[in-house]
């Protein structure tokens, strides 16, 4: 999922074609149909993936809870990522993919909940995602580094990686960041792999001493590995732009009624601890989105 946050992190603007007329299911039609069609990324553990013929992951479980709350069945639309998240929103929320032009989701999971991203413009000053409503933050995500304590005593600073080979997903934010920080002195130590899972496996196999990816991915892989020598680093990321971000959902701008209904269900699930329980079931720490974090003045 290297593209997933690269475009978000650097806020790359790209032109968007005008939307063709595509049938978007209205809220009443969704309720009458008895099912909610949710788009989520395939082969993306621990968020959405198949295991033993069953759909699993925190996004899958949360989507099922949201659908249940509306008395609907969950129907998954597995999607392969485009080059940018803007392309995914175009393909599955408001326009349709050219290979399956009449297939749209009612809602899409794991979309950045960020004002700058929502109001991103192309070179003509036009809103790229004007036909999309981004709402319902349900998780706060951040970057995480893991290391093998047989080869690194302690990773208290990214600077330690100047002396150790580190595995990263190709064309990912960690790749770009580690190649540029400290005047590029870590670049020569980078080893690139097709996925974060492959980079983690390379660390287990001794090819590299550390790896960096999204915290949820790292924690999931750490739990699967059950290797006492793999540790989570507690370091900062100096000179890095977007280190923490909230993730939510997206619907077509004409379907705000669905967004309101899902937000209502989501708030209850968060406040009752159900969402945190879903994450714990996959061995993940859960961090509340900023919207739900209690500020000192709110106490």
């Amino acid at each position: 999922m290297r593209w997933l946050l690269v475009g978000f992190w650097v806020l790359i603007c790209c032109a968007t074609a005008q939307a063709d007329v595509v049938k978007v299911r209205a809220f009443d039609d969704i309720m009458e149909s008895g099912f909610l069609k949710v788009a989520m990324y395939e082969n993306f553990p621990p968020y959405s993936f198949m295991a033993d013929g069953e759909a699993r992951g925190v996004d899958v479980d949360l989507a099922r809870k949201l659908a249940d709350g509306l008395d609907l069945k969950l129907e998954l639309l597995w999607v392969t990522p485009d080059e940018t998240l803007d392309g995914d929103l175009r393909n599955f929320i408001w326009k349709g993919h050219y290979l399956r032009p009449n297939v749209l989701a009612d809602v899409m999971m794991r979309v950045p909940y960020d004002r700058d991203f929502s109001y991103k413009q192309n070179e003509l000053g036009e809103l790229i995602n004007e036909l999309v409503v981004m709402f319902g933050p349900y998780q706060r995500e951040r970057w995480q580094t893991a290391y093998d304590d047989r080869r690194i005593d302690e990773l208290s600073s990214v600077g330690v990686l100047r002396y150790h080979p580190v595995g990263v997903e190709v064309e990912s934010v960690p790749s770009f960041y580690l190649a540029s920080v400290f005047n590029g002195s870590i670049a020569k130590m980078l080893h690139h792999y097709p996925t974060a899972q492959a980079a983690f496996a390379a660390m287990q196999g001794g090819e590299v001493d550390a790896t960096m990816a999204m915290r949820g991915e790292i924690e999931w892989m750490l739990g699967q590995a059950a290797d006492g020598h793999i540790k989570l680093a507690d370091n900062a990321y100096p000179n890095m732009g977007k280190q923490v971000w909230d993730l939510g959902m997206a619907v077509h701008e004409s379907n705000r009624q669905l967004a309101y209904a899902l937000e209502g269900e989501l708030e209850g699930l968060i406040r009752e601890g159900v969402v945190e329980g879903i994450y714990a079931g996959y061995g993940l720490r859960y961090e509340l989105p900023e919207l739900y974090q209690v500020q000192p003045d709110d106490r």
Side-chain angles (χ1 to χ4, degrees), residues 204 219-227 282:
Q204 287 182 280
E219 291 182 341
W220 164 258
M221 292 183 288
L222 183 62
Q224 296 296 297
D227 186 337
Y282 290 90

Side-chain angles (χ1 to χ4, degrees), residues 153-174:
D153 291 334
E154 183 181 12
L155 211 168
S156 58
S157 167
V158 177
V160 173
L161 299 179
R162 289 177 290 185
Y163 313 105
H164 294 273
V166 54
V168 291
E169 186 175 3
V170 65
E171 296 183 10
S172 64
V173 171

Side-chain angles (χ1 to χ4, degrees), residues 1 38-44 47-49 55-64 74-80 92 105 107-110:
M1 293 299 167
V38 182
M40 56 185 68
Y41 296 105
E42 62 180 359
N43 301 322
F44 193 23
Y47 310 111
S48 47
F49 60 101
R56 297 195 61 214
V58 292
D59 286 354
V60 174
D61 292 357
L62 176 57
R64 188 171 286 115
L74 175 64
E75 180 177 309
L76 296 180
L77 174 60
W78 293 107
V79 304
T80 301
F92 302 108
V107 59
M108 187 170 183
M109 306 290 287
R110 199 147 293 273

